Amino acid sequence: MASLRLFSKPLSFTWLAAVPFLLVLGGCATDRSNLKIGQAETVQAVAPLTGKSVLVRNVRDARVFEEKPGNPSTPSMGFGDLASADAERLKKRAIGRKRNTFGQALGDVMLDEGQTVEGMVSKSIKDAFAESGYAIIDNPSLAKPETLIVDARIDRFWAWVKPGFWALTFSGDISTDLAVTTQTGERKLNTVVSSHAEQSRQTGVESNWIEIYDEALAIYRASLKSHISEIR
């Protein structure tokens, strides 16, 4: 019986060295990806307790972008977007950059049209308070004297990929400077709420970016809920 031969000759080092490059390009690394994240969230709101309500008044994206950062964890955009007339609008949706096996930045990872980083963080804050037994007030005119006011500054909302020889490491960071006050200005909470998620994957497909953000957002909400429990 003839024996099967998987390869007619030994694999060359050149072919092996291309493996991680192919893994990274599995997600169309040179193209821009528009992703809809947060779809996996399942919020279990607690019936609001008497007198406990919150208004998320202002969530501001204060992330700093660089043209060609040396570290992939630093926000950046390709295609000359930082110098374009649409730079400010695009930055509100930018959440990552794809990279090749040498760490070179390639295509942008953006939130889908209709989503913004400010909107994602605002929703996460509301979800955390809802799960903690607060009624969410969206219309300022409906706020009660005892309604708490939340203002947040987004310092980090970014994911990046670090290529390895056999796998890719996806990381995601979220960090906000968050203040909770009464309507009379009494400070109830002033803290940094942050999260970090890390996952190992074999390819750079778009679903991996969605999953790293799903985890980072879940950790963020859990961290915020622990701070909310301290409010008296």
Side-chain angles (χ1 to χ4, degrees):
M1 179 182 294
S3 61
L4 294 175
R5 299 181 63 189
L6 296 179
F7 301 98
S8 60
K9 57 183 178 180
L11 295 176
S12 67
F13 177 78
T14 301
W15 190 92
L16 288 172
V19 171
F21 183 71
L22 294 175
L23 290 176
V24 179
L25 290 185
C28 300
T30 57
D31 297 334
R32 171 178 289 163
S33 291
N34 295 316
L35 308 179
K36 196 170 187 65
I37 66 174
Q39 302 305 296
E41 299 176 15
T42 54
V43 179
Q44 298 181 349
V46 176
L49 302 178
T50 302
K52 298 183 70 172
S53 60
V54 65
L55 168 68
V56 179
R57 177 171 59 186
N58 181 49
V59 177
R60 180 173 62 90
D61 188 350
R63 295 175 300 161
V64 177
F65 285 72
E66 295 183 13
E67 187 70 35
K68 294 181 179 180
N71 193 316
S73 66
T74 300
S76 65
M77 289 192 298
F79 307 104
D81 286 336
L82 285 179
S84 72
D86 289 335
E88 292 305 312
R89 181 181 64 84
L90 291 171
K91 282 194 292 185
K92 291 182 179 297
R93 293 172 47 221
I95 58 173
R97 288 289 297 279
K98 305 173 192 178
R99 293 180 179 267
N100 64 18
T101 189
F102 306 108
Q104 178 185 7
L106 298 173
D108 297 326
V109 181
M110 311 282 285
L111 288 173
D112 206 2
E113 288 284 357
Q115 285 191 319
T116 65
V117 169
E118 291 174 343
M120 294 301 301
V121 172
S122 178
K123 181 180 183 303
S124 291
I125 293 172
K126 292 177 181 179
D127 289 347
F129 271 94
E131 291 177 346
S132 300
Y134 285 77
I136 307 302
I137 306 298
D138 291 318
N139 187 341
S141 66
L142 300 179
K144 302 175 182 179
E146 64 273 15
T147 297
L148 297 181
I149 309 298
V150 177
D151 295 299
R153 184 189 71 220
I154 305 169
D155 295 319
R156 296 280 298 166
F157 196 103
W158 194 251
W160 65 98
V161 59
K162 182 178 180 181
F165 193 81
W166 296 114
L168 308 174
T169 300
F170 283 82
S171 301
D173 280 352
I174 301 173
S175 181
T176 59
D177 190 304
L178 188 139
V180 180
T181 60
T182 64
Q183 295 205 62
T184 59
E186 179 187 357
R187 181 97 17 158
K188 290 291 187 177
L189 183 67
N190 189 13
T191 188
V192 172
V193 182
S194 60
S195 70
H196 175 79
E198 196 165 288
Q199 300 175 359
S200 179
R201 293 289 185 266
Q202 293 298 313
T203 67
V205 294
E206 292 181 351
S207 60
N208 291 338
W209 293 92
I210 295 173
E211 289 173 4
I212 195 65
Y213 268 112
D214 284 344
E215 182 178 353
L217 286 166
I219 295 172
Y220 177 86
R221 290 193 302 274
S223 177
L224 176 53
K225 285 167 64 177
S226 70
H227 289 291
I228 294 173
S229 67
E230 301 172 0
I231 297 177
R232 298 291 182 267

